[in-house]
Amino acid sequence: MCDYEKGLMISMKAYKYIQTPLGKYLLAENGKGITFLEHVALELDPRIEKEIAAGEMVEMDTPLLLEGERQLQEYFNGERQEFDLSLDATGTPFQLKVWEALRQIPYGETRSYKEIAIAVENPKGVRAIGMANNRNPISIITPCHRVIGTNGKLVGYAGGLHLKEYLLNHETKVAIENSSPQMDI
């Protein structure tokens, strides 16, 4: 974040609430990149709640948060399949590797936990993949919703399986619409 009026560079964490077809999401950044995107159900994620309570994070519009909001609205409108935002997630080296693998899953497709384990060269680490997936702080943009059970069933999603199902159905519908030949009438 920058305080342009004073001409000073001030680094601080900021967040904004975004309304989506699934309800309210909280999007946060730290001056370097997006750090958090999560559905806000009944209560805030304890990690964020603690920072807000301590005054370490303020609610405000920043250029990055506004761009994130725009791209998310395009995503939900079926106009965006890839995000182009700076990300700055905090995690272990293994978690960061898993989250990068998640971002490689094409829009409208899914991968099993086992396929992700193989992709990160840890074929026996299916449980570790599940734990890293669960700790993903930037949902949708780092599409943990695209990871399913080996049997093809929807399993595990921090926001609830109904959100995961919605996101997968939305992406499948948009992908099919975009691949169908358009006829001029």
Side-chain angles (χ1 to χ4, degrees):
M1 252 64 28
C2 299
D3 186 342
Y4 293 109
E5 294 175 320
K6 297 178 184 173
L8 301 172
M9 294 289 286
I10 300 173
S11 178
M12 82 172 41
K13 296 178 182 177
Y15 70 95
K16 108 181 246 82
Y17 290 103
I18 297 172
Q19 285 298 330
T20 75
L22 290 172
K24 193 177 349 180
Y25 275 76
L26 185 138
L27 179 66
E29 65 118 320
N30 64 1
K32 294 185 280 183
I34 299 294
T35 57
F36 192 81
L37 173 64
E38 200 63 59
H39 187 262
V40 180
L42 301 175
E43 58 189 47
L44 283 175
D45 180 288
R47 297 170 285 185
I48 298 297
E49 191 171 41
K50 181 179 174 185
E51 290 186 57
I52 291 171
E56 298 169 4
M57 185 178 287
V58 295
E59 185 172 6
M60 63 187 287
D61 288 338
T62 68
L64 182 56
L65 293 178
L66 291 170
E67 179 61 18
E69 178 180 38
R70 184 183 71 77
Q71 290 190 26
L72 284 162
Q73 294 304 337
E74 289 174 351
Y75 168 85
F76 282 109
N77 291 336
E79 300 163 356
R80 176 173 291 277
Q81 296 183 8
E82 293 181 18
F83 292 91
D84 182 24
L85 297 165
S86 296
L87 304 179
D88 194 34
T90 300
T92 67
F94 178 74
Q95 288 172 332
L96 294 172
K97 190 174 184 179
V98 170
W99 300 336
E100 179 57 35
L102 299 180
R103 287 191 293 275
Q104 303 309 309
I105 303 171
Y107 181 93
E109 295 184 20
T110 58
R111 298 291 183 270
S112 70
Y113 289 94
K114 182 160 185 66
E115 289 172 310
I116 298 299
I118 291 166
V120 299
E121 301 174 346
N122 189 358
K124 295 183 180 182
V126 174
R127 291 193 124 173
I129 299 301
M131 293 301 292
N133 210 34
N134 184 48
R135 298 296 299 161
N136 171 24
I138 308 174
S139 68
I140 302 175
I141 296 169
T142 299
C144 50
H145 63 276
R146 295 181 189 154
V147 183
I148 60 173
T150 305
N151 61 4
K153 291 190 178 184
L154 300 185
V155 292
Y157 191 65
L161 291 181
H162 66 289
L163 296 181
K164 184 172 191 165
E165 182 176 28
Y166 177 94
L167 293 169
L168 291 173
N169 288 339
H170 168 70
E171 290 183 5
T172 300
K173 177 183 175 221
V174 171
I176 290 169
E177 288 173 358
N178 288 343
S179 67
S180 300
Q182 302 295 321
M183 296 174 42
D184 292 330
I185 300 178

